[in-house]
Amino acid sequence: MARYRFHATNGYECVFDAKGKEIRLPERLTRRAGEVAREVMRALDGREDWGEWHVSVHDLTGRRVLVRPFVGG
């Protein structure tokens, strides 16, 4: 099992995941990224355009392993 961090950004604003989450199977990274996107959209309610936002998934060395758009992906 490995720990990954799921950061959300639109290139100007960022929601950083300082704690991360243990993920047993790498194929579950996409599902967790979708959950993070939905959590951020709820937390920042009132926005109308999420088209520029994405979740950037990093391992604990800082290497980016996945990028998932909030919408359309």
Side-chain angles (χ1 to χ4, degrees):
M1 189 172 322
R3 180 170 294 274
Y4 295 90
R5 293 192 172 107
F6 296 79
H7 308 303
T9 185
N10 65 358
Y12 299 101
E13 300 172 87
C14 298
V15 178
F16 289 102
D17 175 10
K19 184 177 176 183
K21 180 153 178 81
E22 295 282 337
I23 302 290
R24 184 178 310 265
L25 301 171
E27 52 269 18
R28 293 192 176 151
L29 292 172
T30 301
R31 182 172 61 189
R32 178 61 187 152
E35 292 169 358
V36 168
R38 288 186 293 279
E39 291 169 9
V40 170
M41 287 191 283
R42 273 193 301 273
L44 301 179
D45 191 29
R47 308 249 177 165
E48 294 183 21
D49 183 13
W50 293 102
E52 298 297 319
W53 282 81
H54 63 272
V55 176
S56 181
V57 183
H58 299 259
D59 65 17
L60 291 185
T61 69
R63 183 177 65 96
R64 186 170 60 188
V65 297
L66 177 73
V67 175
R68 183 183 188 278
F70 270 32
V71 293

